[in-house]
Amino acid sequence: MSGEQDGDGTAPTAPEEAESAGSVVPLPRSPHSTEILLEVGEAKILQFTRRPPITAIAELVWNALDANATHAVVELRRTSLGAISQIVVSDNGEGITPQQAQRSFREYGDTWKARKTHTTGNQRILHGRMGEGRLYAFALGESFTWDSVSVVDGAPVATRISADVRRPTKWHIDEPVKSGLPTGTVVRIQVPQDKRLRALEAADAAANLTAKLAFYLKAYSDVLVEFDGTRLNPDAIIETSKTLELDLPPEYTGDEVPPFVTFVEWKKRMSDRKMLICNADGIALAEDGEDWSDSVVAFTPYLRSDRFNDLSTEDLHMLAMTHSSLLEAATKAIHKHLRERSAEIAVQVVRQLKDEGIYPYPAKATSATELVEQRTFDVVVTVARNALPTKGTARKLSVDLIRTALERSPSDLHGILESVLALTDEDRNHLSRLLTRTELADVIGAATTVTNRLDFIGALRKILADDQLRKELREVDQLHPMIAQNLWLFGEEWTLARPEVGLTAVLDAHLSLLGPDVVLENKLDTVRRADGTLGRVDILLFRRIGDERSNERIIIELKRPSVIVGPDELQQITSYARAIIDNPQYRDVPSKWQFYLVTYDYSKEILRDIRQKDKAPGLADDQDEYQVWVKSWGEILDAAKRKLSFFRQQLNYEATDERVTQHLRDSYAHYLPEALKEAGRGATNT
């Protein structure tokens, strides 16, 4: 059956209508129409305009099923541009009698269902008993009509009821007329042009509606419901279901049928995943809480209890207060089963890849990091399992791409999952949230950081140890930018440090104390010679961490590799430090300053200054407000490598010459001496 098809005996069509698609003007009424006032305030009615569209459609279908309909059809009529202009819900049920219309559309909550548990003739379980189902139409449009044929005194009678959201308490009931049509009801909802019903237009709309009606449709196989041309079939979308026993609070243990959760898994992901509150038979009465979201399992939990049978809409909305302990027990059971089920699916996916010979990891991980990476891979490939090619080279390539991305950084995954595997936006978002909130991504991110740092240490050592490379290394546009990106060499806290513009003037004012060839890092553009080449200078880096209450500052003078630091240079950096500290702008301001003089080598003449008893090596001047350090690159790189030694052992990683050179080319190509660039091009050509 389909709604509003005159002459096929499905539903009444009298009186005649003059309607146009998308019109929000109420349909013409009979001159014998009676206006009745729904005895409840406008605010009470208008709250239904905020109900979810799928829930509203479900309520209209429930009304049909409660009237013993065996066939209910939801039509979405569209404009030439594809927008929904009218919703028609038709059924072959028992219809609405004139007496029921007068009573139910006048008094809020008054319905013949309130005093019954089953439909007429005890054919099926009743869903609604609150007299609110018709008001859900307000969530879908602006004007509404119910055309219904029922049997009165053995003869079919047609009744029309109409309403308008602009006058929500006023309802019009036409004088009933005799009809030659079978019983049934057609609900017509006019949708205004500016109203979008995206939930009804979504690809999973029919599946979401099926989820709400699933247990009813499985219980009554003779019932047929259609939505926008699709027959609702729970068996077509249910993967599996399981009953979850709850650790019930004492007040529920004595129930004749103790509350329980039915955990239903779907074959594909659906956007509507709130827990459904149901009676013990699984008839959905309301939704509770936020959407359940999981990256592996697509599911809907149904909390079932006879305690929910006679609750009003307000009572159902108050469940978080009145049945909080039961909801908490249900949530715990769902979380527990979800963890177990996700693990089961992951094991199945990994076993299948191993059976196919394309699982990219050995039977036993060779290091702690590889174990973490492997576990992360298992999570990712499980989430992406339905998007993987089913067989052949493409499937193996996809698996290899995921592993390659994990070896570098989890962030590389998104491009692969989007362009290669065509993973849906929702699944990618699920995976992103999963990786963000687990330690796996943190460990892999840390592993990447450690290996990159080890490579950088090895790379810088390679340059400084080679006479030719050290001679070619330019401080201004090569050494400086590499060090500026790796300030962790001076302490992990400086990784997030930032330049301090306000310090420039003070540093510049006393710069002459350091000699004629020292330039602030933000003024390096001034050191070009007339021929455009860069001058050989010392560079002063400066960074700050902290806030308005307390600050730490680091000032680093990068000496040219050709300079051997001696007493003069030490005296210069010490005088400079004291001049900065004594500047009125920073005097008595809570702050700690670190001054570093970094050089390729220093003379034996200053060993007593930088090797003082009970002082850290390199500390030449130690005051409350500041410290002055002299460090060679060898000392800095050795100390940094020692800090990373534990992680290096766990990673089983060795920064070989080939690796560090490649790291330089990959990460610092713009800053390399020409000899390294040429070597790289030669290797590529061969």
Side-chain angles (χ1 to χ4, degrees), residues 287-307:
E287 298 174 331
D288 180 75
E290 300 297 322
D291 278 352
W292 280 86
S293 179
D294 184 76
S295 56
V296 177
V297 185
F299 72 99
T300 298
Y302 298 76
L303 176 57
R304 300 166 66 171
S305 172
D306 280 335
R307 291 194 177 219

mmCIF file of all heavy atoms in Angstrom, residues 287-307:
data_model
loop_
_atom_site.group_PDB
_atom_site.id
_atom_site.type_symbol
_atom_site.label_atom_id
_atom_site.label_comp_id
_atom_site.label_asym_id
_atom_site.label_seq_id
_atom_site.Cartn_x
_atom_site.Cartn_y
_atom_site.Cartn_z
ATOM 1 N N GLU A 287 14.582 7.783 24.272
ATOM 2 C CA GLU A 287 16.036 7.715 24.171
ATOM 3 C C GLU A 287 16.642 8.274 25.436
ATOM 4 O O GLU A 287 16.020 9.088 26.133
ATOM 5 C CB GLU A 287 16.530 8.521 22.974
ATOM 6 C CG GLU A 287 16.023 8.033 21.633
ATOM 7 C CD GLU A 287 16.434 8.965 20.507
ATOM 8 O OE1 GLU A 287 16.593 10.175 20.797
ATOM 9 O OE2 GLU A 287 16.576 8.511 19.373
ATOM 10 N N ASP A 288 17.865 7.853 25.731
ATOM 11 C CA ASP A 288 18.515 8.361 26.936
ATOM 12 C C ASP A 288 19.966 8.706 26.642
ATOM 13 O O ASP A 288 20.676 7.947 25.974
ATOM 14 C CB ASP A 288 18.462 7.330 28.065
ATOM 15 C CG ASP A 288 19.138 7.840 29.335
ATOM 16 O OD1 ASP A 288 18.531 8.686 30.015
ATOM 17 O OD2 ASP A 288 20.267 7.410 29.622
ATOM 18 N N GLY A 289 20.413 9.848 27.164
ATOM 19 C CA GLY A 289 21.818 10.208 27.126
ATOM 20 C C GLY A 289 22.330 10.617 25.766
ATOM 21 O O GLY A 289 21.578 10.884 24.833
ATOM 22 N N GLU A 290 23.668 10.633 25.662
ATOM 23 C CA GLU A 290 24.340 10.995 24.433
ATOM 24 C C GLU A 290 24.483 9.774 23.523
ATOM 25 O O GLU A 290 24.277 8.641 23.945
ATOM 26 C CB GLU A 290 25.732 11.560 24.746
ATOM 27 C CG GLU A 290 25.722 12.804 25.623
ATOM 28 C CD GLU A 290 25.010 13.975 24.960
ATOM 29 O OE1 GLU A 290 25.172 14.123 23.730
ATOM 30 O OE2 GLU A 290 24.320 14.716 25.658
ATOM 31 N N ASP A 291 24.852 10.039 22.271
ATOM 32 C CA ASP A 291 25.105 8.930 21.350
ATOM 33 C C ASP A 291 26.251 8.067 21.862
ATOM 34 O O ASP A 291 27.274 8.585 22.320
ATOM 35 C CB ASP A 291 25.486 9.462 19.962
ATOM 36 C CG ASP A 291 24.268 9.850 19.143
ATOM 37 O OD1 ASP A 291 23.147 9.566 19.585
ATOM 38 O OD2 ASP A 291 24.452 10.446 18.077
ATOM 39 N N TRP A 292 26.051 6.773 21.787
ATOM 40 C CA TRP A 292 27.152 5.858 22.039
ATOM 41 C C TRP A 292 28.023 5.846 20.792
ATOM 42 O O TRP A 292 27.523 5.661 19.686
ATOM 43 C CB TRP A 292 26.629 4.452 22.336
ATOM 44 C CG TRP A 292 26.150 4.301 23.740
ATOM 45 C CD1 TRP A 292 24.904 4.599 24.216
ATOM 46 C CD2 TRP A 292 26.906 3.827 24.847
ATOM 47 N NE1 TRP A 292 24.839 4.340 25.557
ATOM 48 C CE2 TRP A 292 26.058 3.863 25.975
ATOM 49 C CE3 TRP A 292 28.208 3.375 24.999
ATOM 50 C CZ2 TRP A 292 26.483 3.463 27.237
ATOM 51 C CZ3 TRP A 292 28.633 2.980 26.258
ATOM 52 C CH2 TRP A 292 27.785 3.020 27.368
ATOM 53 N N SER A 293 29.307 6.040 20.985
ATOM 54 C CA SER A 293 30.205 6.150 19.837
ATOM 55 C C SER A 293 31.381 5.216 20.038
ATOM 56 O O SER A 293 32.056 5.262 21.065
ATOM 57 C CB SER A 293 30.693 7.594 19.703
ATOM 58 O OG SER A 293 31.570 7.721 18.629
ATOM 59 N N ASP A 294 31.609 4.340 19.070
ATOM 60 C CA ASP A 294 32.736 3.427 19.143
ATOM 61 C C ASP A 294 33.313 3.269 17.751
ATOM 62 O O ASP A 294 32.577 3.237 16.763
ATOM 63 C CB ASP A 294 32.301 2.069 19.694
ATOM 64 C CG ASP A 294 33.482 1.137 19.881
ATOM 65 O OD1 ASP A 294 34.223 1.329 20.856
ATOM 66 O OD2 ASP A 294 33.661 0.232 19.057
ATOM 67 N N SER A 295 34.637 3.174 17.676
ATOM 68 C CA SER A 295 35.296 3.121 16.378
ATOM 69 C C SER A 295 35.287 1.737 15.760
ATOM 70 O O SER A 295 35.570 1.589 14.573
ATOM 71 C CB SER A 295 36.744 3.606 16.511
ATOM 72 O OG SER A 295 37.422 2.843 17.490
ATOM 73 N N VAL A 296 34.973 0.713 16.536
ATOM 74 C CA VAL A 296 35.021 -0.655 16.034
ATOM 75 C C VAL A 296 33.634 -1.255 15.863
ATOM 76 O O VAL A 296 33.332 -1.869 14.840
ATOM 77 C CB VAL A 296 35.871 -1.541 16.970
ATOM 78 C CG1 VAL A 296 35.869 -2.992 16.493
ATOM 79 C CG2 VAL A 296 37.298 -1.017 17.064
ATOM 80 N N VAL A 297 32.776 -1.068 16.859
ATOM 81 C CA VAL A 297 31.469 -1.724 16.866
ATOM 82 C C VAL A 297 30.376 -0.701 16.590
ATOM 83 O O VAL A 297 30.311 0.348 17.238
ATOM 84 C CB VAL A 297 31.205 -2.411 18.227
ATOM 85 C CG1 VAL A 297 29.894 -3.185 18.178
ATOM 86 C CG2 VAL A 297 32.353 -3.334 18.586
ATOM 87 N N ALA A 298 29.510 -1.005 15.628
ATOM 88 C CA ALA A 298 28.313 -0.192 15.377
ATOM 89 C C ALA A 298 27.159 -0.875 16.106
ATOM 90 O O ALA A 298 26.810 -2.012 15.790
ATOM 91 C CB ALA A 298 28.030 -0.101 13.884
ATOM 92 N N PHE A 299 26.575 -0.198 17.063
ATOM 93 C CA PHE A 299 25.603 -0.882 17.914
ATOM 94 C C PHE A 299 24.573 0.091 18.485
ATOM 95 O O PHE A 299 24.749 1.317 18.454
ATOM 96 C CB PHE A 299 26.319 -1.587 19.066
ATOM 97 C CG PHE A 299 26.868 -0.631 20.105
ATOM 98 C CD1 PHE A 299 26.189 -0.381 21.282
ATOM 99 C CD2 PHE A 299 28.072 0.027 19.897
ATOM 100 C CE1 PHE A 299 26.687 0.500 22.230
ATOM 101 C CE2 PHE A 299 28.582 0.917 20.824
ATOM 102 C CZ PHE A 299 27.883 1.150 22.005
ATOM 103 N N THR A 300 23.512 -0.488 19.020
ATOM 104 C CA THR A 300 22.522 0.252 19.792
ATOM 105 C C THR A 300 22.203 -0.568 21.035
ATOM 106 O O THR A 300 21.905 -1.760 20.926
ATOM 107 C CB THR A 300 21.231 0.489 18.999
ATOM 108 O OG1 THR A 300 21.527 1.270 17.847
ATOM 109 C CG2 THR A 300 20.203 1.223 19.844
ATOM 110 N N PRO A 301 22.259 0.033 22.208
ATOM 111 C CA PRO A 301 21.863 -0.686 23.421
ATOM 112 C C PRO A 301 20.395 -0.394 23.759
ATOM 113 O O PRO A 301 19.943 0.747 23.685
ATOM 114 C CB PRO A 301 22.796 -0.113 24.484
ATOM 115 C CG PRO A 301 23.119 1.270 24.007
ATOM 116 C CD PRO A 301 22.934 1.305 22.507
ATOM 117 N N TYR A 302 19.664 -1.440 24.120
ATOM 118 C CA TYR A 302 18.260 -1.320 24.511
ATOM 119 C C TYR A 302 18.150 -1.699 25.979
ATOM 120 O O TYR A 302 18.353 -2.868 26.343
ATOM 121 C CB TYR A 302 17.384 -2.255 23.684
ATOM 122 C CG TYR A 302 17.382 -2.000 22.195
ATOM 123 C CD1 TYR A 302 18.450 -2.389 21.392
ATOM 124 C CD2 TYR A 302 16.286 -1.389 21.575
ATOM 125 C CE1 TYR A 302 18.445 -2.169 20.024
ATOM 126 C CE2 TYR A 302 16.274 -1.169 20.202
ATOM 127 C CZ TYR A 302 17.360 -1.560 19.436
ATOM 128 O OH TYR A 302 17.347 -1.351 18.078
ATOM 129 N N LEU A 303 17.837 -0.731 26.824
ATOM 130 C CA LEU A 303 17.612 -1.020 28.239
ATOM 131 C C LEU A 303 16.141 -1.383 28.419
ATOM 132 O O LEU A 303 15.256 -0.564 28.150
ATOM 133 C CB LEU A 303 17.969 0.199 29.099
ATOM 134 C CG LEU A 303 17.680 0.066 30.609
ATOM 135 C CD1 LEU A 303 18.404 -1.144 31.215
ATOM 136 C CD2 LEU A 303 18.066 1.354 31.335
ATOM 137 N N ARG A 304 15.894 -2.590 28.887
ATOM 138 C CA ARG A 304 14.523 -3.117 28.888
ATOM 139 C C ARG A 304 14.057 -3.411 30.307
ATOM 140 O O ARG A 304 14.733 -4.090 31.082
ATOM 141 C CB ARG A 304 14.470 -4.382 28.030
ATOM 142 C CG ARG A 304 14.884 -4.108 26.599
ATOM 143 C CD ARG A 304 15.181 -5.359 25.799
ATOM 144 N NE ARG A 304 13.993 -6.175 25.592
ATOM 145 C CZ ARG A 304 13.963 -7.227 24.774
ATOM 146 N NH1 ARG A 304 15.052 -7.572 24.086
ATOM 147 N NH2 ARG A 304 12.858 -7.930 24.643
ATOM 148 N N SER A 305 12.889 -2.880 30.640
ATOM 149 C CA SER A 305 12.311 -3.098 31.965
ATOM 150 C C SER A 305 10.824 -2.766 31.929
ATOM 151 O O SER A 305 10.416 -1.783 31.300
ATOM 152 C CB SER A 305 13.010 -2.216 33.012
ATOM 153 O OG SER A 305 12.341 -2.274 34.255
ATOM 154 N N ASP A 306 10.032 -3.567 32.623
ATOM 155 C CA ASP A 306 8.602 -3.277 32.724
ATOM 156 C C ASP A 306 8.335 -2.033 33.554
ATOM 157 O O ASP A 306 7.219 -1.501 33.535
ATOM 158 C CB ASP A 306 7.862 -4.477 33.339
ATOM 159 C CG ASP A 306 7.591 -5.568 32.311
ATOM 160 O OD1 ASP A 306 7.535 -5.229 31.110
ATOM 161 O OD2 ASP A 306 7.458 -6.741 32.697
ATOM 162 N N ARG A 307 9.336 -1.558 34.279
ATOM 163 C CA ARG A 307 9.153 -0.347 35.090
ATOM 164 C C ARG A 307 8.902 0.885 34.225
ATOM 165 O O ARG A 307 8.436 1.905 34.717
ATOM 166 C CB ARG A 307 10.394 -0.107 35.950
ATOM 167 C CG ARG A 307 10.583 -1.141 37.059
ATOM 168 C CD ARG A 307 11.599 -0.664 38.051
ATOM 169 N NE ARG A 307 11.758 -1.592 39.150
ATOM 170 C CZ ARG A 307 11.926 -1.221 40.418
ATOM 171 N NH1 ARG A 307 11.933 0.061 40.735
ATOM 172 N NH2 ARG A 307 12.100 -2.120 41.359
#
